[in-house]
Amino acid sequence: QVSYTAITIHTENLAKIIFILKAASDAKYENVDLYAPPAFVRGMTKLNREAFKKSVSVPALRVKKEIINKLMKSLKSVALQRPGVKRVVEDPNDENHKLVLLDPYKISTGVSFGEPEKNVLKEHNVSAEIHKYNLEMTYENFKCEEILRAVLPEGQDVTSGFSRVGHIAHMNLREHQLPYKHLIGDVIIDKNPGVTSVVNKTNTIDSTYRNFQMEVLAGLEDMVAKVRENNVTYEFDFSKVYWNPRLSTEHERIVQLLKSGDLVFDVFAGVGPFAIPAAKKKCIVFANDLNPESHKWLQHNCKLNKVDQRVNLFNLDGRDFITNIVKGQLTKLLNTGTEQNCGIHIIMNLPALAVQFLDAFKNLLEEPDTSQAVLPHIHCYSFSKQDDPAEDVMKQAEDVLNCELRRHCSVHLVRNVAPNKEMVCITFQIPGEVIFQKQKASKGKLYLSF
């Protein structure tokens, strides 16, 4: 059942209403491409900023100079907002007035104003009559995405997104964007204050050293970046080490699990995003990375953040670090014969390979005499392309360790790294039957969690 509502319109008002609706409709239609750069820039591969000049007609309100400041706050929501464009300009026809430029997508006629704006205009005796102002737009007045959409082939994806690493903008351009790569780099620098270098990744991450080949698209060749994450400062050569600003939340999540005095082993430490915050929290840290450049900058960052006395640094293969350094420290801890009050955390952030290193913990230690041994908690990262990433990563770890973990672990989805590809962290306390060489058949044996 359908009901209809009828409205009565007097004949003398009908023509006026039709005129207003048509004007609004025409204005909206005319303004669809108002902020699009000139059509002839399509296909440009070398940036010519002068080619982006364009003249557009925008609505304006004539206001007396002495009341401009009183009105602007109330008109802010309908005023023109474009990069580098002044919203208040001189009235070329009247030196006692100024023109307030309005957003053509919101205001086309005097009746377009909302009640709040109408009341303010009435209060200050300002006419709602709309005037036309010829605005000369230049390259500076267009947004990054508008420029790239105008230049790149029509109908293809436009990218203006990037990862910010200090002064460096890191992009992952697609094949169809490569002919325009240098222009894209120039535009990114122009439209993002503080960015002085733009790079594009030219291959996948190297599994050994976790860095990748990159090409400088625009700006400086200087790749030594300075970043601040979770109140910690890091410096490093971005072209030679691994750094991902999208992992800031994950770094913080793990560090929040730590307590002062805990023992932390960072198997693939990079430049220190886990190790240094852990040391600042007064944990005892053993940090390792195979990449000599990562090791160098890790050492530098420890000194920079004044935690070098609490971080023990190593430049070893991850497996060697586990079977030598981790084993040695845990053996020493177990042989003290005293009650263990500290937690033990082993961080393995190498998603492409870390799970494969878990077998290094098999039979790593001799079983201690104490029944109060604290077993390490492992935080191991992996990638998954399965429909159930948590189940997949759990099974990966169980297959390597040859034991059941599902009742004794937690799985955290870190981030989506690509379509159908998730980065996942599995956290579990390593079972005694895995890490100890001999398991005594004492039913009273208890390995404590923390």
Side-chain angles (χ1 to χ4, degrees):
Q1 193 175 28
V2 181
S3 61
Y4 297 92
T5 302
I7 29 179
T8 302
I9 301 175
H10 293 292
T11 306
E12 61 269 23
N13 292 329
L14 183 59
K16 185 184 295 185
I17 292 172
I18 291 174
F19 173 79
I20 291 172
L21 291 174
K22 185 176 185 304
S25 176
D26 291 345
K28 186 175 181 181
Y29 178 77
E30 292 171 0
N31 289 330
V32 168
D33 294 323
L34 180 68
Y35 298 140
F40 57 78
V41 301
R42 177 84 63 197
M44 178 187 293
T45 55
K46 184 176 181 181
L47 183 59
N48 177 9
R49 297 171 180 82
E50 293 299 313
F52 286 83
K53 292 181 178 179
K54 179 180 180 179
S55 179
V56 297
S57 179
V58 297
L61 196 65
R62 178 173 282 135
V63 180
K64 290 182 179 179
K65 288 184 176 181
E66 57 266 26
I67 61 172
I68 281 285
N69 292 336
K70 297 177 182 178
L71 279 181
M72 284 311 296
K73 186 175 181 180
S74 301
L75 295 177
K76 186 177 180 180
S77 63
V78 295
L80 181 66
Q81 296 188 39
R82 295 297 300 172
V85 172
K86 293 181 179 180
R87 289 179 288 184
V88 179
V89 298
E90 296 294 332
D91 184 346
N93 301 317
D94 188 344
E95 62 180 16
N96 295 318
H97 288 76
K98 287 193 174 186
L99 297 177
V100 177
L101 305 187
L102 304 172
D103 185 340
Y105 290 103
K106 296 179 180 179
I107 303 296
S108 55
T109 67
V111 298
S112 302
F113 290 107
E115 286 304 316
E117 290 88 14
K118 288 179 180 177
N119 292 336
V120 170
L121 295 180
K122 185 176 181 180
E123 179 185 344
H124 292 88
N125 197 28
V126 176
S127 169
E129 180 185 359
I130 296 300
H131 302 266
K132 292 295 183 181
Y133 179 79
N134 194 47
L135 177 65
E136 299 294 334
M137 295 183 68
T138 65
Y139 173 81
E140 285 70 27
N141 306 136
F142 293 105
K143 298 176 183 178
C144 181
E145 190 171 335
E146 292 168 343
I147 293 171
L148 297 183
R149 185 181 292 113
V151 170
L152 268 64
E154 195 169 7
Q156 293 188 351
D157 291 339
V158 174
T159 179
S160 58
F162 56 85
S163 294
R164 179 78 179 262
V165 182
H167 66 282
I168 303 167
H170 169 218
M171 308 193 77
N172 289 323
L173 296 182
R174 298 183 179 180
E175 190 71 28
H176 71 272
Q177 297 162 340
L178 294 179
Y180 308 90
K181 60 186 179 182
H182 296 297
L183 178 144
I184 292 172
D186 287 333
V187 174
I188 293 295
I189 288 178
D190 288 344
K191 299 299 179 179
N192 294 275
V195 172
T196 56
S197 298
V198 180
V199 301
N200 182 47
K201 184 169 73 172
T202 57
N203 69 346
T204 57
I205 293 176
D206 178 85
S207 296
T208 305
Y209 285 166
R210 288 202 299 175
N211 58 354
F212 49 81
Q213 296 296 316
M214 63 177 67
E215 176 187 12
V216 178
L217 303 182
L220 305 176
E221 297 276 346
D222 178 21
M223 292 294 105
V224 177
K226 182 175 183 178
V227 302
R228 190 160 178 82
E229 178 186 278
N230 300 326
N231 298 315
V232 178
T233 300
Y234 302 92
E235 294 178 346
F236 48 82
D237 187 332
F238 184 55
S239 67
K240 297 179 179 179
V241 305
Y242 178 79
W243 179 268
N244 190 338
R246 295 188 176 96
L247 292 178
S248 171
T249 302
E250 180 61 13
H251 297 151
E252 186 176 29
R253 184 184 74 87
I254 293 295
V255 172
Q256 286 178 346
L257 300 176
L258 310 176
K259 298 188 294 291
S260 176
D262 281 356
L263 191 58
V264 177
F265 297 95
D266 195 349
V267 185
F268 312 106
V271 298
F274 289 114
I276 292 173
K280 287 175 74 72
K281 208 167 181 179
K282 298 186 178 178
C283 296
I284 303 167
V285 181
F286 292 81
N288 172 73
D289 203 281
L290 178 62
N291 183 352
E293 282 291 323
S294 294
H295 179 264
K296 180 183 82 172
W297 288 104
L298 173 57
Q299 186 175 42
H300 171 82
N301 289 324
C302 286
K303 292 179 179 177
L304 182 65
N305 290 280
K306 298 180 173 60
V307 294
D308 48 306
Q309 298 302 310
R310 288 199 290 273
V311 182
N312 303 277
L313 302 176
F314 300 89
N315 181 207
L316 301 170
D317 174 76
R319 189 174 298 275
D320 292 338
F321 178 71
I322 293 169
T323 57
N324 289 285
I325 308 306
V326 175
K327 177 180 179 179
Q329 292 301 315
L330 293 183
T331 299
K332 187 186 300 182
L333 185 64
L334 292 173
N335 289 341
T336 57
T338 58
E339 184 178 351
Q340 299 169 28
N341 295 318
C342 68
I344 305 171
H345 294 264
I346 301 175
I347 302 170
M348 303 175 69
N349 183 21
L350 184 62
L353 296 172
V355 170
Q356 299 175 27
F357 285 77
L358 288 175
D359 66 344
F361 292 100
K362 289 182 177 180
N363 301 317
L364 184 68
L365 305 174
E366 292 185 7
E367 188 176 19
D369 295 329
T370 176
S371 62
Q372 302 294 310
V374 176
L375 295 175
H377 271 69
I378 293 180
H379 310 277
C380 183
Y381 292 82
S382 185
F383 292 129
S384 175
K385 294 184 178 181
Q386 301 302 313
D387 292 338
D388 188 342
E391 175 66 25
D392 176 45
V393 171
M394 194 186 309
K395 189 174 186 307
Q396 291 179 35
E398 288 179 334
D399 289 347
V400 173
L401 293 173
N402 195 29
C403 72
E404 183 182 332
L405 295 175
R406 60 193 63 243
R407 290 183 298 173
H408 312 287
C409 73
S410 63
V411 180
H412 177 74
L413 298 181
V414 178
R415 59 182 290 261
N416 177 258
V417 297
N420 302 315
K421 185 177 181 180
E422 298 288 336
M423 180 179 176
V424 180
C425 177
I426 180 170
T427 293
F428 60 92
Q429 189 175 35
I430 192 161
E433 61 265 28
V434 172
I435 198 169
F436 292 134
Q437 295 173 6
K438 294 180 181 179
Q439 187 72 14
K440 294 180 180 178
S442 169
K443 294 183 178 179
K445 178 81 73 174
L446 175 66
Y447 295 102
L448 298 181
S449 180
F450 53 91

